[in-house]
Amino acid sequence: MTTASKITLIRVAFIPVFMVFMYLSGGMPGPWMWASLALFIIASLTDYVDGHIARKYNQVTDFGKFLDPLADKLLVIAAMAMLCEWGRFPAWALMIVLTREFAVTGLRLIAVQKGTVIAAGWSGKVKTASTMIGLCVWMGFPTVDWLGWLVTAVIVVTTLYSGIEYFIQNWKCLWD
């Protein structure tokens, strides 16, 4: 297993700890929310680090192409689910995110069966980065309602755009 993949697995291991911290915070500012935010930032930064290491040291693997976006999905959906539980992230927005993630994962699985690996595209990277940054801002200011709606709008728009782009660029995988 490559160093890049090990770093990605660390990101996955952070998720349950992050969720416990979020739960203990109750969605309110304070030490548990700050601990949640710190862990989320560290986990989010590993996304950049593992990608950088994979490219720089020629550690790009099919396993990494699959695991890295999965780790990102699990991390951001964990945060969104907690925010949704507290009534701060609308369920319809979470459903849009989940639908896009399942659809793109399904497309990737179909492509793999046909011998093609679909790596993360540019719009997917922008979606992931803007979602992670937005969730960090939200955790930093959990009671500012207008900020929550702005973050929700950014997440929904980038999620829809990147999902549509994946299908437009890879539609042949469905029909070949």
Side-chain angles (χ1 to χ4, degrees):
M1 181 175 296
T2 67
T3 302
S5 292
K6 289 176 185 174
I7 293 169
T8 304
L9 286 173
I10 289 170
R11 182 161 70 253
V12 173
F14 281 172
I15 295 168
V17 179
F18 163 74
M19 289 194 73
V20 168
F21 288 176
M22 283 285 282
Y23 179 78
L24 291 172
S25 79
M28 298 307 293
W32 288 113
M33 182 59 79
W34 295 116
S36 301
L37 176 58
L39 194 56
F40 190 87
I41 289 170
I42 292 166
S44 296
L45 290 174
T46 66
D47 184 36
Y48 170 77
V49 172
D50 63 17
H52 176 73
I53 288 172
R55 287 183 296 278
K56 184 173 182 176
Y57 297 103
N58 197 26
Q59 294 183 3
V60 176
T61 63
D62 287 346
F63 177 69
K65 288 179 187 177
F66 174 77
L67 183 62
D68 182 66
L70 179 61
D72 296 340
K73 289 173 183 46
L74 293 172
L75 179 63
V76 299
I77 289 171
M80 289 178 200
M82 292 303 295
L83 291 167
C84 190
E85 181 176 328
W86 296 322
R88 297 210 179 112
F89 191 78
W92 61 264
L94 179 59
M95 199 60 217
I96 287 171
V97 171
L98 288 170
T99 301
R100 183 260 186 216
E101 300 307 346
F102 279 114
V104 170
T105 299
L107 177 64
R108 283 188 168 129
L109 291 173
I110 291 168
V112 165
Q113 288 177 343
K114 296 179 180 188
T116 302
V117 174
I118 300 173
W122 179 250
S123 68
K125 292 174 191 270
V126 169
K127 175 209 52 106
T128 299
S130 61
T131 298
M132 288 177 171
I133 291 167
L135 290 171
C136 286
V137 169
W138 206 337
M139 283 182 266
F141 304 95
T143 57
V144 180
D145 289 338
W146 69 266
L147 191 56
W149 283 107
L150 178 62
V151 169
T152 299
V154 169
I155 289 171
V156 168
V157 168
T158 58
T159 295
L160 289 171
Y161 180 85
S162 67
I164 291 166
E165 183 182 72
Y166 269 96
F167 276 88
I168 288 172
Q169 291 179 350
N170 299 289
W171 68 272
K172 289 185 179 184
C173 291
L174 296 173
W175 310 115
D176 287 343

